[in-house]
Amino acid sequence: MQLPKAVTIKEVGPRDGLQNEKTLVSVADKVEWINMLSNCGLPYIEVTSFVNPKWIPALADCYEVATSIERKRGVTYAALVPNEKGLEKALEANLDEISVFMSASETHNKKNINKSITETYPILERVVQEALLAKKSVRGYVSTVFGCPYEGNIEIDQVMRVSEKLFEMGISELSLGDTIGVANPKQVQLLLVQFLKRFPTNKLALHFHDTRGLALANIYATLQMGITTFDSSIGGLGGCPYAPGASGNVATDDVNYMLKKMDIETNIDDRKLLDAARFIEARLQKKLMSHSMVVNANQCIDRV
Ligand code: HMG
Ligand code: MG
């Protein structure tokens, strides 16, 4: 069987991981944590969101965080941007990449960014154009690709329509989001069969939440289709405030463990990763439930 030799892991913990947390982390702690993540070998870190702080209070410090972190050479630092107001700040902070985001489902789009899908397109179009003019690369997210908490199943054609619009705007990569963690490996492969007729593997990333424990199985199914970019969050932190019942992202430490055991290169130092997970665990004062963290807490020794 042909599997990729190397995979790119995009760490979304400082953004997706923290956006739904009740315990606020100080700017100093976020900065120290992101600096630790930068030293793990991760090639990409989504550090924050330039959204309305009334909607996402946990990331109200976006500008301070983005301008205080150490910028390690070789690491791409990115942030979510919903509109021109957010873009202005992200450009001022001189991040490397910005990510625009919307949903395949009308209801989730409305609840998440307060616009219909049709109203969202011209807003994102302007954001992408301005970001490209400022020489920033732009990533796009589509949420609720495999199911919506309000509408249930979403047709592949609908996901395709939104995705094509984002590519037409000029995004360089699309991240397909299983926002509430309902995808299964068969469903993922069926969607990718359609997507790979339209887009090459290197334009697509997968963003799995792990609500039902299927995220690693979904990643394996995705690897079989030739995709080599995955979003994940250290320790399994994460969730969307406008997707009730959604749990954390698939854990970076677990994805890294699986890939390494399969001889797929990630260039990530697993010990440093666990140190960074323990750091944020202490600041949030809650146990991180990734398999790696649980194994570590129980002092199980992996002899194989
Ligand atoms: P709105 O209320 O419709 O915005 O929010 P508006 O343009 O009508 O402006 C209203 C107020 O918001 C004004 O302030 C604006 O200045 C302010 P006021 O005059 O009332 O004091 N405002 C802003 N403030 C700061 N930064 C901005 C900004 N824009 C307007 N950029 C908006 C529209 C999109 C801003 C709002 O709905 C919002 O912030 N939503 C963010 C929701 C969010 O962050 N969700 C989580 C991320 S998505 C996700 O997790 C999914 C993903 O992980 C993939 C997956 O898992 O599927 C990516
Ligand atoms: Mg997410």
Side-chain angles (χ1 to χ4, degrees), residues 15-16 19 49-56 80 82-83 85-86 101 112-115 141-144 177-179 207 209 240-242:
R15 193 279 301 174
D16 208 340
Q19 71 185 10
S49 290
F50 288 86
V51 294
N52 187 341
K54 284 189 193 141
W55 288 58
I56 309 283
L80 287 199
N83 53 19
K85 188 173 172 112
F101 59 104
N112 197 36
I113 52 176
N114 208 21
K115 301 276 179 302
Y141 276 104
V142 182
S143 288
T144 62
D178 182 18
T179 316
H207 177 108
H209 284 258
C240 174
Y242 302 99

Side-chain angles (χ1 to χ4, degrees), residues 224-280:
Q224 289 176 319
M225 306 292 288
I227 307 286
T228 56
T229 304
F230 297 95
D231 302 345
S232 60
S233 171
I234 190 160
L237 279 169
C240 174
Y242 302 99
S247 78
N249 295 78
V250 65
T252 308
D253 27 317
D254 291 341
V255 179
N256 194 46
Y257 179 88
M258 180 179 86
L259 295 174
K260 281 204 162 166
K261 290 284 176 187
M262 292 169 70
D263 296 321
I264 297 174
E265 191 50 70
T266 62
N267 285 317
I268 296 171
D269 183 322
D270 38 11
R271 285 199 199 147
K272 287 186 180 170
L273 207 54
L274 283 180
D275 286 345
R278 281 191 215 100
F279 179 90
I280 199 65

